[in-house]
Amino acid sequence: MGVLRLQLPTDPRWVNIVEKNIEEILTDHAWCEQKAATNAITIITNNSEHQDLVKDLLALAKEEIDHFEQVHNIIIKRGLKLGRERKDDYVNELYQYMKKSGDGSRVSGLVERLLFSAMIEARSCERFKVLSENIKDEELSVFYRELMESEAGHYTTFITYARKYGKGIDVEKRWREWLEFEESIITNYGKGETIHG
């Protein structure tokens, strides 16, 4: 958990739930990647004056769409179907926290969106690690190990830009508050065959 600073680890027994419905976890995961790409594009749209941010988040969005395609290819290869987009209660709770946490300024809005994004990437990275180390399916074990490394990079990107553009905001203090909030809600998750469920 070290670098990610998450307060509560995922119980490895969550993987036992996942293994009972591989189609569901893959569908959920595919949509998580699509939403991550959309989120990066939204940040670009609202903060286009930051050239370096735009450049890096364009690369990140492309990577997320590539991950979506990789998951979709696994689904097809296994003769499964990509189901409809799933509601993500965990992300929705983080989103509500973000919405009520800013002070209304553009800087605060950007920092909150970046920390919201970093939080999702951190937990996704941790979940991919748990999957890679515990799932019996060898192909998926290797796949999730590779994605874990990518998600760690995305987490770092979001945190780095929050620090860079968070002028007048104690970003470290704010990140600790995000970690505490995430700890307070994560106990409700890890019981379903979804990435955050």
Side-chain angles (χ1 to χ4, degrees), residues 114-185:
L114 290 168
L115 295 181
F116 160 77
S117 305
M119 190 80 260
I120 296 167
E121 296 288 351
R123 182 55 71 182
S124 298
C125 178
E126 189 261 354
R127 287 282 167 95
F128 290 167
K129 182 175 191 291
V130 172
L131 277 168
S132 73
E133 291 174 350
N134 296 282
I135 201 162
K136 294 179 185 75
D137 186 308
E138 197 172 326
E139 180 189 27
L140 292 182
S141 174
V142 171
F143 179 61
Y144 281 112
R145 167 63 61 180
E146 289 168 359
L147 287 196
M148 178 194 80
E149 293 163 8
S150 176
E151 299 296 298
H154 296 171
Y155 155 80
T156 302
T157 297
F158 288 123
I159 286 282
T160 299
Y161 278 112
R163 289 174 180 143
K164 180 170 184 177
Y165 289 116
K167 303 287 185 253
I169 295 171
D170 187 342
V171 175
E172 295 311 311
K173 176 174 178 283
R174 191 67 199 111
W175 181 237
R176 285 193 299 274
E177 290 167 358
W178 267 96
L179 289 165
E180 285 167 17
F181 176 74
E182 202 265 355
E183 180 184 13
S184 76
I185 67 167

Side-chain angles (χ1 to χ4, degrees), residues 33-171:
E33 299 291 355
Q34 178 272 322
K35 288 173 198 164
T38 301
N39 179 58
I41 295 296
T42 298
I43 296 171
I44 290 168
T45 303
N46 295 331
N47 303 278
S48 56
E49 69 275 19
H50 301 306
Q51 198 171 55
D52 53 350
L53 176 80
V54 170
K55 185 170 175 288
D56 285 346
L57 290 196
L58 273 172
L60 188 149
K62 286 178 187 173
E63 199 167 286
E64 299 288 21
I65 285 295
D66 182 56
H67 292 167
F68 180 98
E69 184 179 26
Q70 287 179 48
V71 180
H72 189 235
N73 287 342
I74 291 171
I75 289 169
I76 292 167
K77 187 171 115 182
R78 292 176 175 226
L80 305 173
K81 283 204 171 81
L82 174 65
R84 302 290 294 172
E85 182 187 349
R86 306 298 196 250
K87 185 178 170 200
D88 191 326
D89 292 327
Y90 168 80
V91 170
N92 286 337
E93 284 198 65
L94 294 180
Y95 184 80
Q96 292 308 317
Y97 179 68
M98 172 187 72
K99 290 298 276 185
K100 62 185 183 210
S101 295
D103 64 13
S105 70
R106 286 198 74 227
V107 171
S108 172
L110 174 57
V111 168
E112 289 302 310
R113 189 71 183 222
L114 290 168
L115 295 181
F116 160 77
S117 305
M119 190 80 260
I120 296 167
E121 296 288 351
R123 182 55 71 182
S124 298
C125 178
E126 189 261 354
R127 287 282 167 95
F128 290 167
K129 182 175 191 291
V130 172
L131 277 168
S132 73
E133 291 174 350
N134 296 282
I135 201 162
K136 294 179 185 75
D137 186 308
E138 197 172 326
E139 180 189 27
L140 292 182
S141 174
V142 171
F143 179 61
Y144 281 112
R145 167 63 61 180
E146 289 168 359
L147 287 196
M148 178 194 80
E149 293 163 8
S150 176
E151 299 296 298
H154 296 171
Y155 155 80
T156 302
T157 297
F158 288 123
I159 286 282
T160 299
Y161 278 112
R163 289 174 180 143
K164 180 170 184 177
Y165 289 116
K167 303 287 185 253
I169 295 171
D170 187 342
V171 175

